[in-house]
Amino acid sequence: MAVSVAAHSAPKNREMFAIKKSYSIENGYPSRRRSLVDDARFESSVVKQTKQAVLEEARLKANDEKELDIPNGENSENEEEEQPEVDEQEYYVEDSEMTEEEMILQNAAAVSEEAANELIKAALVVRLRDGMGALGRILKAVETFKGTVIHLESRQSREKNIQFDVLIKIEMARSSLLQLCRSLRQSMSFGGMTVLAENNVNVKAPWFPKHASELDGCNHLMTKYEPDLDMNHPGFADKEYRARRKLIAEVAFAYKYGDPIPVIEYTETENKTWGSVFKVVKDLVPKHACKEYIQVFKKLEEEKIFTPERIPQLQEMNDFLRKNTGFTLRPAAGLLTSRDFLASLAFRVFQSTQYVRHGNSPMHTPEPDYIHEMLGHMPLLGDASFAQFSQEIGLASLGASDEEIEKLSTVYWFTVEFGLCKEENQVKAYGAGLLSAYGELLHAVSDKPEHRPFDPEKTAVQPYQDQEYQPIYFVAESFEDAKEKFRRWVSSMSRPFEVRYNPHTERVEILDSVEKLEALVSQLNTEMLHLTNAIEKLRKPLL
């Protein structure tokens, strides 16, 4: 059975490019608080450096292996096998141009002999310098490496000095595909080549989870235990607090998909800290929070989930959200990398910390804590429209480039964390960072900062101020207006495929074939039929 090119290599590649540096250590933790925006930039920088180092190592290894395999004219057991025609001078050239696609194929083939020999489907986009005459050599090479051509098409190229782009869909052994790629790349007749997996996704495109269970792999942290790294952290000198944080973090690290959410027995001090912040937030909510936040906040109080006496458990909040918007929660050990955090939202999953800020600083925390998650994020995740907006940011992040992740993180930061909206000609807050930090909340809704209309294209490149309160905030007309603008902006992103989330299977589907589109249209037709019937029944007079 054919599988995608990157299937076997994904875990290995993900581990290879995992964030293994600490933002705090690398940057000296100069900021007054942690920023998802800065983390995204740091993540991009580290991934880029790591990829360059890994590619160089792979190229050197490939050259070493090539020297051992150089033909010396002696007979061998495989002498009768036909080999592709490669210029002898090119054969001896050091392979300094090994591509990232080839490295990923090499990693996948190295998993096992079975993986190397497994038949896979892939597509090659080859750029021809000298016209269609070179096409015959490509097909001959595919035949030599025992591949089967499934589909072939060409078009005039838009690139300078390239005459044609040729798309060839093939089926062949993974190791043979790697040899074919190397052979074609080393020919001077071709101006470049791209390898696509079966779903038309570039094999070097960032891995992303396809099923909710794969979020177990989306738990990379920028830093593990902030109090251990930052001398200015309120808990840095408190050994008992640091040990408590570490214990709660280890509970989160051990969590796997399908496990019951672990119960944290919060201490008297932690419950007291919660109570102090809860009372302040409750006093400010009626005047400064948007109506959606207020409505869900009241509902949480009615169901005795929000009370000043005790911190709610993650499981009871999970049950509340699942019932109201389909969102679920899973414990996180700390601030996740931007890509991992946003990917979780695509599945309507919010990764929440469970540790509580230090008792000496109840009104400020330099990084997200459980009080921030509960009072800032949870009420609006219980609103259907806002939950949809959050999920759409997550879906847009799947397979996005590092640069696009930075932009999406910036949009997230200025909306979900520090967003404002209009309500009866007044400015109200819906950002979790505002609603759980009264100092910046009062600043944001005052006339001191500049209020700009929410425009994703401009918001995505707005510099973020992490030393002081923001000088600029973006104001949405409504959640529906924000969603519509966001959708238009996302459509211009470079990702060459579209995705949708299937809540019945908890799976993200890549819409890459006519069959999948037809199945989706069929589902939509069924929904439209129900909608039409409902409208007709509403029009009928009451008996």
Side-chain angles (χ1 to χ4, degrees):
M1 181 173 143
V3 297
S4 69
V5 172
H8 284 277
S9 60
K12 190 172 182 179
N13 292 328
R14 182 157 179 74
E15 175 61 27
M16 186 190 311
F17 296 139
I19 303 299
K20 296 177 181 177
K21 291 187 178 183
S22 158
Y23 180 93
S24 298
I25 292 175
E26 295 290 316
N27 293 275
Y29 207 91
S31 306
R32 60 186 291 273
R33 63 174 163 228
R34 289 302 301 276
S35 159
L36 189 71
V37 181
D38 288 336
D39 286 339
R41 292 173 184 153
F42 177 67
E43 182 180 352
S44 297
S45 173
V46 173
V47 168
K48 185 176 180 180
Q49 293 172 14
T50 306
K51 282 186 176 182
Q52 290 174 342
V54 170
L55 274 170
E56 185 60 31
E57 182 181 347
R59 287 165 181 160
L60 291 173
K61 181 179 179 182
N63 288 327
D64 291 341
E65 292 174 350
K66 184 181 293 184
E67 289 177 6
L68 295 175
D69 294 338
I70 290 176
N72 56 15
E74 297 179 3
N75 293 333
S76 67
E77 295 179 4
N78 299 324
E79 187 176 43
E80 297 179 359
E81 287 191 17
E82 184 180 4
Q83 296 296 322
E85 297 179 5
V86 179
D87 186 276
E88 190 169 311
Q89 288 185 336
E90 287 184 327
Y91 191 92
Y92 289 98
V93 171
E94 186 174 286
D95 197 359
S96 60
E97 299 300 323
M98 181 182 186
T99 65
E100 190 176 333
E101 290 101 326
E102 290 172 35
M103 183 199 67
I104 291 172
L105 286 169
Q106 182 172 277
N107 288 339
V111 171
S112 65
E113 184 176 350
E114 181 182 2
N117 296 326
E118 185 172 18
L119 282 179
I120 60 173
K121 289 181 179 178
L124 302 179
V125 178
V126 185
R127 297 163 186 86
L128 307 184
R129 297 183 191 275
D130 305 323
M132 297 301 292
L135 181 58
R137 287 159 54 191
I138 298 176
L139 299 178
K140 178 65 175 176
V142 172
E143 181 183 358
T144 298
F145 287 114
K146 298 181 172 56
T148 303
V149 176
I150 302 172
H151 177 81
L152 176 67
E153 64 179 83
S154 64
R155 69 180 180 187
Q156 287 189 326
S157 180
R158 296 179 180 177
E159 294 188 29
K160 189 177 181 180
N161 299 324
I162 301 296
Q163 292 195 31
F164 293 97
D165 294 332
V166 178
L167 171 67
I168 312 169
K169 293 187 178 182
I170 55 177
E171 184 176 52
M172 65 195 316
R174 182 177 281 107
S175 58
S176 297
L177 178 59
L178 176 60
Q179 290 178 290
L180 174 65
C181 291
R182 286 176 174 170
S183 174
L184 295 179
R185 175 171 53 78
Q186 291 174 343
S187 171
M188 298 297 292
S189 299
F190 309 127
M193 180 179 61
T194 303
V195 184
L196 304 178
E198 188 177 3
N199 54 14
N200 293 331
V201 179
N202 193 313
V203 295
K204 68 177 183 180
W207 175 89
F208 60 87
K210 310 298 191 305
H211 187 268
S213 60
E214 294 176 14
L215 293 179
D216 288 345
C218 293
N219 58 2
H220 294 93
L221 302 182
M222 300 302 287
T223 50
K224 287 189 177 180
Y225 313 119
E226 295 286 0
D228 292 346
L229 300 171
D230 173 25
M231 289 190 299
N232 294 321
H233 193 287
F236 182 78
D238 189 336
K239 291 184 178 180
E240 184 177 342
Y241 177 79
R242 288 164 61 181
R244 172 75 168 164
R245 283 280 295 265
K246 184 174 182 179
L247 175 64
I248 294 175
E250 292 299 337
V251 170
F253 277 129
Y255 178 84
K256 299 297 180 186
Y257 172 80
D259 291 349
I261 296 176
V263 173
I264 304 296
E265 298 293 342
Y266 290 103
T267 65
E268 182 180 349
T269 299
E270 290 167 336
N271 280 311
K272 184 178 178 181
T273 300
W274 158 267
S276 299
V277 182
F278 181 85
K279 290 174 184 176
V280 172
V281 170
K282 186 176 179 180
D283 288 341
L284 293 173
V285 159
K287 184 176 181 181
H288 299 297
C290 64
K291 63 179 183 296
E292 291 85 354
Y293 180 95
I294 294 173
Q295 289 169 356
V296 181
F297 193 100
K298 288 181 178 178
K299 191 181 294 185
L300 286 164
E301 286 187 301
E302 291 169 359
E303 298 194 17
K304 306 300 181 184
I305 297 174
F306 271 1
T307 67
E309 293 79 25
R310 68 170 185 90
I311 301 173
Q313 286 294 326
L314 199 61
Q315 182 66 61
E316 60 182 326
M317 185 61 75
N318 175 83
D319 296 342
F320 174 85
L321 293 178
R322 182 190 290 274
K323 180 175 62 177
N324 285 274
T325 62
F327 249 89
T328 59
L329 306 173
R330 61 176 290 153
L335 186 66
L336 302 176
T337 61
S338 303
R339 191 178 291 279
D340 282 354
F341 177 75
L342 295 177
S344 302
L345 296 178
F347 296 84
R348 293 211 170 205
V349 173
F350 186 93
Q351 300 219 40
S352 171
T353 57
Q354 287 182 287
Y355 55 79
V356 175
R357 64 192 65 178
H358 196 273
N360 289 344
S361 181
M363 298 304 167
H364 172 71
T365 176
E367 84 277 59
D369 76 323
Y370 195 52
I371 293 176
H372 166 78
E373 316 283 38
M374 289 293 110
L375 294 178
H377 287 288
M378 299 307 143
L380 279 174
L381 287 177
D383 175 78
S385 184
F386 186 83
Q388 179 66 30
F389 178 66
S390 299
Q391 183 180 27
E392 292 201 18
I393 295 178
L395 287 168
S397 77
L398 301 181
S401 67
D402 290 337
E403 293 77 13
E404 288 167 340
I405 288 293
E406 289 182 26
K407 290 182 177 181
L408 285 167
S409 298
T410 306
V411 170
Y412 182 91
W413 198 253
F414 280 108
T415 55
V416 179
E417 289 289 354
F418 290 94
L420 299 173
C421 62
K422 287 184 180 179
E423 196 174 287
E424 297 179 357
N425 295 322
Q426 289 186 314
V427 174
K428 301 288 186 177
Y430 70 88
L434 297 176
L435 292 166
S436 61
Y438 76 95
E440 184 149 7
L441 171 61
L442 295 178
H443 167 77
V445 297
S446 72
D447 57 4
K448 294 179 182 179
E450 180 183 353
H451 291 162
R452 295 181 181 176
F454 174 63
D455 179 347
E457 186 172 357
K458 295 178 181 178
T459 304
V461 294
Q462 175 64 37
Y464 170 75
Q465 170 60 257
D466 58 10
Q467 297 292 339
E468 303 294 340
Y469 294 147
Q470 298 302 301
I472 296 171
Y473 295 91
F474 291 92
V475 183
E477 294 293 329
S478 66
F479 291 151
E480 291 302 321
D481 178 67
K483 280 192 295 185
E484 183 57 36
K485 289 178 178 176
F486 181 77
R487 287 167 183 154
R488 288 200 298 268
W489 175 68
V490 165
S491 67
S492 66
M493 290 174 62
S494 64
R495 187 178 65 183
F497 56 88
E498 188 56 72
V499 297
R500 70 180 291 268
Y501 176 63
N502 186 330
H504 306 296
T505 61
E506 295 184 294
R507 186 173 296 279
V508 164
E509 300 170 350
I510 299 176
L511 303 176
D512 61 343
S513 69
V514 174
E515 291 77 16
K516 290 180 181 179
L517 292 176
E518 288 177 343
L520 178 57
V521 169
S522 177
Q523 293 176 30
L524 292 176
N525 285 338
T526 301
E527 294 297 324
M528 287 298 296
L529 178 61
H530 290 309
L531 179 60
T532 302
N533 290 340
I535 293 173
E536 289 299 322
K537 290 179 180 179
L538 286 173
R539 287 175 174 171
K540 289 181 179 180
L542 295 175
L543 297 179

